[in-house]
Amino acid sequence: MLLYLFPSGRIRGNKFYVGDIDGAPGKSLVVELDGPRRGLWKDFADDDGGDLIAAWAKSRGLSTQQDFPRIADEIRQWLGFAPPVDPGARRDMRTVPMDELGPYTAKWDYVGLDGELIACVYRYDPPSGKEFRPWDVRARMWRAPDPRPLYNLPALMTARTVILVEGEKCADALIGAGIVATTAMNGAKAPVDKTDWSALKNKEVLIWPDRDAPGWDYAESAARACAAVGCQSVAILVPPADKPLKWDAADAAQDGFDCAAFIAQAERRVIKAAVPMVPTFTLGALLDDDSPLPEDLIEPRVLTPGGLLVFGGAPKVGKSDFLLAWLTHMAAGASFLGMRPPRPLRVFYLQAEVQYHYLRERVKGIRLSPEHLILARTNFMATPQLRLILDDDGLAQVIPAMVAAFNGQTPDIIVIDPIRNVFDGGDAGGENDNGAMLYFLSQRVERIRQAVNPEAGVILAHHTKKLGKRQFEEDPFQALAGAGSLRGYYSSGMLLFRPDEAQSTRHLIYELRNGPAIETKFVDKMDGQWHEVDVNDRLVLKEYGERLDAERRRKRDAILQILFEEAAQGRCYTANQLAESFEGKAGLGGERTIRERISALSTQGYIKFFRNSTDYGLPSIGRSKFGYLCVEGMVLNTHTGEPDPDTGELPLRPLGVLPTHYKCPQSGAAMPVENPDVWVYQEISNDPQEQE
């Protein structure tokens, strides 16, 4: 029960720890798991406590006295028992409330191949929005069966083609039109690994997604599961571009849309083609084939024939400058930062950002040897700043220019920089929309390649959106706008990233689909040329750089700098002492203003606290809730030893101050610091893209 109520809690020995009754991470609230006080809890932050029923009630904002029947029902359902039913009442379950959700508004039965009822899914429509609850018939519990069956199983067994949709309502709409349809339990939120897809083995599966990003993501996940289970073919239907957001199969049936014609004729993304359309090879044939692999257009596997590379970066990071130097080296047959062409490549650079005069200014700054420059002069073809969209009219202008660029020879590489300026996603939306991005890639970029040279490599320059620091470190390529469709489509990705705006060094990050991983490179432009920076030099300077980072953070705020400088003079403060001592000084304002600023800096992690005052020869903190204030890198100079016999001065001993506690951003409570040597800052932003 405790982990159900408080997922962030932790068990240590015979106690359960969590931050507070709302479930915040931490150790302030303790539950006894053994002994005479087993099941009792106490929150040491506010002296609240009680038994497990009280914990259940308080965590949900309920009263054990006034809301006890509701609490009992909730605990009963958590234990897996159905709510009690009055024997004299009608057995129509529409009259049975589901805790606070009210009566259900729709119900769908999942049956096995023999027609036996396996599970029921109930829909509720409370004021907070629709919710679905599954009932496991065999286990007689409010949960989904494990594994979860597909909907409409008996009809799937005799069907050759099955339409997979998002939700039972959409499936019923198609079934009513005479089309064999199914869905995974929970629709777009269905856990793919917990669903039994085996009923679709050897079937032709067409996936009809809702017209939104979650719908397309669900379709891609389901498509991979269908292919893995052995479906004969798998394809995703692309919803019409003129339909509204969230349009689905149920909407289509309600509007009188010709669903059968759409299924037969719609544009689709083939995930797995039918066997007759795909060549197959035995293991022996693959082992015996010793023919050479196709040459990489750019080694090592950065760009392969027919491949698509997306080169991304934030504005002003130097993407276009980097790209121009890189492409001219490829046109000259010269290596660039370890990326090598097999020969001088014909490069068509379609760019929509730099005007002609400034483009020629940049080109003249590129450093190439005379012999390489001779080759690049004719192998590199660029447009001035284009002011067009790559719709049908735009393609009619661009494709003939590419075909005619190299006197009858085709380009080896087609570059579009940046795609934002020429983007056409049909009517689906902008480049942040996965459906629109897929339309652009399949209906615009691929049309260009097929018309010009099907084996050409394509490079798309693209911008990145803002991600939180942790998100970027975990998966940097998710920063690409429209990443869901791009990453499923491209063969390789590159990011140019500057982690520190005060430094010129960039990170060059790779993601390859067709080759071994390439380690991140550190690059910089020096004397007009791009160079790889020695990593060892950066490691030597890492500690120095961290000290500079801490100094920059301190100088952002006067209070942080005051705490740092006062400690150097042997003085430390609690929040109240600092507010009283510096009221009206250093432009800090009154006591209340100073306290509010200290509170904000503490929440963000710039100020922490230490309570071991005796270790530094300081007076006790007394009634202070948190303790003495400290900042990163703070050094306290204390007087120690005997006075100098000549000068009478006491010698100073510098002590590095380490925090013992920090302010929890969620609860505001003082929490113990796990590692005092590591400072963690809470990055707080008002930018909605950075909070995604």
Side-chain angles (χ1 to χ4, degrees):
M1 177 188 288
L2 291 173
L3 289 174
Y4 171 76
L5 293 175
F6 311 115
S8 298
R10 295 290 183 270
I11 296 174
R12 296 289 185 271
N14 60 353
K15 299 182 188 300
F16 178 88
Y17 296 91
V18 71
D20 54 33
I21 198 65
D22 294 321
K27 301 179 180 179
S28 180
L29 190 152
V30 182
V31 184
E32 300 290 341
L33 302 180
D34 201 3
R37 293 180 55 80
R38 182 179 181 183
L40 298 181
W41 61 275
K42 182 177 178 64
D43 189 340
F44 289 92
D46 56 15
D47 289 331
D48 198 5
D51 57 16
L52 291 181
I53 294 178
W56 187 291
K58 286 180 176 292
S59 69
R60 281 160 162 69
L62 302 176
S63 166
T64 53
Q65 295 181 349
Q66 298 176 1
D67 301 311
F68 188 79
R70 175 177 171 181
I71 296 169
D73 284 343
E74 288 186 0
I75 295 175
R76 182 187 297 111
Q77 291 172 26
W78 174 76
L79 291 170
F81 297 108
V85 179
D86 183 357
R90 291 180 57 193
R91 302 207 44 97
D92 182 3
M93 290 191 67
R94 285 186 180 274
T95 64
V96 180
M98 176 66 177
D99 51 69
E100 76 280 6
L101 300 181
Y104 69 79
T105 56
K107 172 178 173 286
W108 295 276
D109 292 336
Y110 282 70
V111 299
L113 299 179
D114 55 1
E116 180 185 2
L117 186 62
I118 300 174
C120 304
V121 173
Y122 296 88
R123 171 173 171 160
Y124 299 85
D125 289 276
S128 57
K130 66 180 179 181
E131 293 192 30
F132 298 86
R133 297 288 174 88
W135 171 258
D136 187 338
V137 173
R138 294 168 179 170
R140 297 194 59 77
M141 295 179 67
W142 288 104
R143 70 177 191 186
D146 188 15
R148 306 181 182 204
L150 292 176
Y151 187 59
N152 195 26
L153 268 179
L156 304 187
M157 292 303 99
T158 58
R160 178 180 176 183
T161 301
V162 177
I163 311 303
L164 176 63
V165 294
E166 183 181 327
E168 297 87 352
K169 182 180 177 182
C170 292
D172 280 350
L174 295 183
I175 292 169
I179 299 169
V180 179
T182 188
T183 184
M185 192 177 290
N186 291 112
K189 297 180 181 178
V192 171
D193 57 339
K194 294 184 179 180
T195 299
D196 183 3
W197 301 94
S198 60
L200 298 178
K201 184 177 181 179
N202 298 325
K203 306 291 182 185
E204 296 175 356
V205 178
L206 292 172
I207 303 174
W208 184 334
D210 290 3
R211 191 178 179 275
D212 56 17
W216 191 264
D217 291 341
Y218 160 73
E220 290 190 324
S221 299
R224 289 191 291 269
C226 291
V229 84
C231 293
Q232 186 177 5
S233 65
V234 184
I236 303 174
L237 301 174
V238 179
D242 59 349
K243 298 301 179 182
L245 194 66
K246 299 186 180 299
W247 181 84
D248 59 18
D251 297 327
Q254 184 178 354
D255 297 341
F257 183 76
D258 192 339
C259 296
F262 172 69
I263 291 170
Q265 304 168 11
E267 175 191 347
R268 64 200 62 201
R269 179 183 176 190
V270 177
I271 306 300
K272 178 183 179 182
V275 174
M277 300 173 59
V278 177
T280 58
F281 306 95
T282 65
L283 176 61
L286 294 172
L287 291 172
D288 295 338
D289 186 355
D290 295 324
S291 60
L293 291 172
E295 279 189 318
D296 294 342
L297 290 173
I298 301 177
E299 298 177 352
R301 300 290 175 89
V302 175
L303 185 62
T304 53
L308 175 71
L309 183 149
V310 175
F311 175 53
K316 308 302 182 184
V317 76
K319 290 193 303 295
S320 293
D321 187 87
F322 181 96
L323 189 59
L324 194 60
W326 178 27
L327 295 176
T328 51
H329 278 73
M330 298 303 100
S335 178
F336 181 79
L337 299 177
M339 295 180 282
R340 303 175 298 275
R343 53 181 171 77
L345 302 175
R346 293 180 294 275
V347 179
F348 190 97
Y349 183 38
L350 188 157
Q351 66 92 24
E353 194 166 58
V354 182
Q355 296 175 342
Y356 169 79
H357 297 292
Y358 307 102
L359 176 65
R360 65 185 176 92
E361 181 181 44
R362 290 189 181 187
V363 166
K364 290 180 180 180
I366 296 173
R367 304 289 182 85
L368 284 171
S369 64
E371 59 272 20
H372 284 141
L373 186 59
I374 292 174
L375 295 168
R377 288 178 69 92
T378 55
N379 281 331
F380 178 83
M381 184 74 70
T383 68
Q385 182 185 26
L386 292 182
R387 300 184 183 275
L388 55 77
I389 301 298
L390 289 180
D391 53 13
D392 289 333
D393 293 338
L395 296 186
Q397 299 179 56
V398 167
I399 290 174
M402 292 184 180
V403 171
F406 299 102
N407 297 321
Q409 294 181 298
T410 57
D412 296 304
I413 298 179
I414 298 169
V415 186
I416 301 175
D417 176 24
I419 63 176
R420 164 187 276 180
N421 291 7
V422 297
F423 186 84
D424 175 40
D427 295 328
E431 67 269 21
N432 290 307
D433 182 278
N434 279 324
M437 180 60 73
L438 181 65
Y439 179 90
F440 177 75
L441 295 172
S442 62
Q443 299 302 309
R444 300 311 183 205
V445 176
E446 284 301 328
R447 280 180 60 185
I448 292 174
R449 173 161 38 197
Q450 293 302 318
V452 176
N453 177 12
E455 292 300 310
V458 174
I459 298 176
L460 303 179
H462 196 28
H463 69 281
T464 54
K465 59 186 179 182
K466 291 183 179 179
L467 284 184
K469 181 179 179 182
R470 180 177 298 178
Q471 289 176 294
F472 189 90
E473 290 174 350
E474 291 176 351
D475 192 354
F477 286 90
Q478 200 59 33
L480 291 169
S485 290
L486 278 173
R487 298 180 75 184
Y489 209 95
Y490 66 51
S491 56
S492 51
M494 285 173 50
L495 289 180
L496 191 64
F497 170 63
R498 178 156 49 198
D500 187 347
E501 293 297 327
Q503 302 293 325
S504 61
T505 304
R506 285 84 153 176
H507 293 186
L508 189 59
I509 308 170
Y510 295 86
E511 182 177 52
L512 303 187
R513 300 279 189 242
N514 297 327
I518 299 177
E519 290 187 2
T520 297
K521 297 179 180 179
F522 303 95
V523 300
D524 204 348
K525 189 175 183 182
M526 296 176 286
D527 298 326
Q529 289 183 289
W530 287 89
H531 297 275
E532 188 171 357
V533 179
D534 189 349
V535 179
N536 293 325
D537 291 343
R538 291 180 58 85
L539 293 176
V540 169
L541 296 174
K542 181 179 178 182
E543 184 177 347
Y544 174 68
E546 289 176 346
R547 291 201 303 270
L548 290 180
D549 290 342
E551 182 179 355
R552 280 194 295 271
R553 283 191 286 268
R554 286 197 306 272
K555 290 184 177 179
R556 291 179 188 172
D557 193 283
I559 289 179
L560 303 181
Q561 191 64 23
I562 286 172
L563 289 171
F564 185 82
E565 292 174 351
E566 286 290 297
Q569 301 297 319
R571 296 183 289 270
C572 291
Y573 302 85
T574 65
N576 287 337
Q577 290 169 351
L578 187 73
E580 293 171 357
S581 301
F582 286 88
E583 181 181 18
K585 299 178 181 178
L588 297 181
E591 282 189 42
R592 179 177 178 181
T593 301
I594 296 174
R595 287 194 182 94
E596 289 176 349
R597 186 60 189 156
I598 292 172
S599 177
L601 291 168
S602 303
T603 299
Q604 297 169 14
Y606 289 99
I607 290 179
K608 290 184 172 65
F609 311 91
F610 65 99
R611 293 181 173 178
N612 54 338
S613 54
T614 56
D615 293 347
Y616 301 96
L618 296 171
S620 170
I621 60 173
R623 298 176 60 185
S624 173
K625 179 180 177 181
F626 290 96
Y628 283 105
L629 310 177
C630 66
V631 298
E632 184 179 8
M634 192 168 93
V635 175
L636 175 66
N637 285 312
T638 61
H639 296 285
T640 182
E642 298 295 327
D644 185 286
D646 297 325
T647 64
E649 294 181 352
L650 288 171
L652 290 176
R653 181 179 61 161
L655 296 175
V657 180
L658 297 176
T660 63
H661 290 74
Y662 72 97
K663 182 180 178 182
C664 177
Q666 288 77 31
S667 65
M671 306 298 294
V673 170
E674 294 185 3
N675 186 345
D677 293 313
V678 177
W679 281 69
V680 178
Y681 297 95
Q682 301 293 329
E683 298 295 338
I684 298 176
S685 172
N686 294 322
D687 190 322
Q689 286 186 323
E690 191 169 348
Q691 296 174 355
E692 290 177 355

